[in-house]
Amino acid sequence: MSGNLPPKVPHVFDDAYRGAIAAVLEEQSPNDLIGAHQFRGSERDRVAGAAFVARRLPHSPDPDRMIVCNGTQSALTMLMTGLVGRGGALAIEALSYPTMHQFAGMLGIELCAIPMDEEGILPDAYEATCRNRKLSAYYAMPTLQNPTTAIMSVSRRQTIAEISRQYGVAIIEDDIYSLLPRDVPPPLSSYAPEISWYILGTAKAMAAALKVAYIVAPSPDAARSRFWPGVRATYWMSGPINVATVSQLITTGGADAIIDAVRAETVARQAMVSQRLQGASIGALPEGLHVWLTLPPELHRDRFAASVRELGAEISTSDTYLFGEGDAPNAVRFGTGAAPNRQEFERGLNAIVDAYNR
């Protein structure tokens, strides 16, 4: 229960994926497909990627602004290296994606934690940090934020975009949780496209190890300069057959069918959470892959997590996601999709509910 992977939907995924692979191998010579590097993705894959991100952006971007990557993590390390660099500073919410600690340590980047509320980053605190520090970029997750499930309002997005523009801070937007909810605001990047690097991956909406992500650069020139063969900070290029298969799924509607099935299973599991944890303080969306459970003062998060573990399930405490100083809130996060089936999910949920009601 500690992971927030999408639930498996083999009744839809398997046939769609088999059909897409078969079509790719029938339509293209395998040796031609993998006989040369495709550093930003082939033209076909960038066109498919533009159609994929158009699910969220107001307009389908120019394919020359697209970069096809080997998952969101490789995209983040490339952008952190190129936009921030060793010795530079990156703004991040006070609670955020924990792997950013490892990336920053590996790359020699300072993380500046910004206080947040129920919508995410606080504009006044962000503006003060921009004014007092030389920030190179801001790592943003304004839609179903990890771990809090916060969703930034349109007005907040506009304000944060304007502050970033005013101080010349690039926006690195990780929108990976946005494809399952049906009604969420446009990406933050849509309010400042000229300074934004927008990332939309497949791992949280289709399958965890699909490992295809799309970056929308501010311009074609920016895409070429940041992702050219001489930039060897990490290996960002995705396997051509894997990308071609995803492109096939996008163009034939298979991706839509998979996302719909993942959404349906997620909604069913979140309904179980709502029913079993009635009265508890939970942050969640019906289509969200994780739940942020705020605990009462008498139930400390460490003891609660230990009790859940004793009952056979793993969850994460808020300390895992803490950036900056101070104490983490008395809260835990658990995922809805990692359990291989609904029965196993119910077993894990029972452990959480039993520990909560002790």
Side-chain angles (χ1 to χ4, degrees):
M1 303 288 280
S2 60
N4 61 348
L5 310 178
K8 293 180 180 178
V9 288
H11 61 289
V12 175
F13 187 94
D14 289 359
D15 285 346
Y17 195 77
R18 286 190 187 107
I21 289 178
V24 167
L25 296 178
E26 178 68 25
E27 294 170 6
Q28 303 181 62
S29 159
N31 199 188
D32 287 345
L33 190 61
I34 61 176
H37 292 297
Q38 298 171 10
F39 288 103
R40 291 189 297 122
S42 69
E43 175 73 15
R44 178 179 184 269
D45 294 332
R46 285 186 283 112
V47 168
F52 190 75
V53 300
R55 289 165 164 79
R56 291 284 294 130
L57 295 172
H59 307 288
S60 180
D62 179 349
D64 286 340
R65 293 172 59 198
M66 301 297 304
I67 303 110
V68 185
C69 277
N70 183 35
T72 299
Q73 290 186 343
S74 67
L76 289 173
T77 53
M78 282 297 294
L79 292 174
M80 290 171 71
T81 300
L83 298 176
V84 184
R86 187 166 295 276
L90 176 76
I92 191 168
E93 277 98 354
L95 295 164
S96 191
Y97 178 40
T99 304
M100 294 295 285
H101 279 299
Q102 283 72 46
F103 291 161
M106 177 179 68
L107 300 171
I109 289 172
E110 180 185 1
L111 296 174
C112 297
I114 313 295
M116 56 194 297
D117 63 8
E118 69 279 357
E119 287 192 26
I121 192 171
L122 288 167
D124 289 348
Y126 179 48
E127 197 275 337
T129 304
C130 289
R131 188 173 61 249
N132 295 320
R133 302 292 304 275
K134 177 58 178 174
L135 294 177
S136 298
Y138 159 46
Y139 171 67
M141 191 180 286
T143 303
L144 265 177
Q145 199 259 359
N146 183 19
T148 67
T149 74
I151 296 180
M152 193 181 288
S153 66
V154 168
S155 61
R156 177 75 61 90
R157 291 173 196 241
Q158 292 170 332
T159 300
I160 295 299
E162 185 51 41
I163 293 170
S164 301
R165 183 182 290 114
Q166 177 185 351
Y167 288 94
V169 177
I171 295 170
I172 302 173
E173 182 172 8
D174 183 354
D175 206 27
I176 197 165
Y177 298 107
S178 69
L179 289 173
L180 296 181
R182 292 189 181 276
D183 186 21
V184 289
L188 172 63
S189 297
S190 63
Y191 300 104
E194 76 282 4
I195 58 169
S196 296
W197 295 79
Y198 175 77
I199 309 169
L200 187 62
T202 58
K204 300 298 185 182
M206 296 175 66
L210 202 52
K211 291 299 179 188
V212 175
Y214 303 99
I215 303 175
V216 184
S219 68
D221 285 346
R224 284 189 289 269
S225 65
R226 293 294 177 197
F227 291 84
W228 67 289
V231 181
R232 303 190 186 278
T234 185
Y235 188 74
W236 75 88
M237 193 187 86
S238 191
I241 287 183
N242 192 39
V243 178
T245 302
V246 175
S247 295
Q248 183 74 13
L249 288 169
I250 292 169
T251 56
T252 61
D256 292 318
I258 294 168
I259 292 170
D260 286 345
V262 170
R263 182 187 297 113
E265 180 61 24
T266 300
V267 167
R269 296 187 186 195
Q270 285 283 9
M272 294 167 65
V273 173
S274 298
Q275 181 182 26
R276 298 294 307 283
L277 286 171
Q278 288 186 33
S281 177
I282 59 174
L285 214 62
E287 308 96 337
L289 295 179
H290 59 273
V291 176
W292 183 243
L293 174 62
T294 300
L295 300 169
E298 65 274 12
L299 191 57
H300 191 273
R301 58 191 181 275
D302 289 339
R303 294 199 312 274
F304 179 72
S307 296
V308 173
R309 188 177 305 112
E310 289 173 2
L311 294 169
E314 290 285 343
I315 59 174
S316 302
T317 68
S318 58
D319 306 82
T320 304
Y321 309 93
L322 183 65
F323 291 77
E325 301 176 353
D327 193 23
N330 193 35
V332 297
R333 196 207 76 173
F334 62 90
T336 61
N341 53 57
R342 208 173 295 181
Q343 292 71 34
E344 285 298 303
F345 173 72
E346 185 171 24
R347 186 179 68 81
L349 181 58
N350 286 341
I352 292 169
V353 173
D354 290 349
Y356 188 85
N357 291 328
R358 277 184 175 178

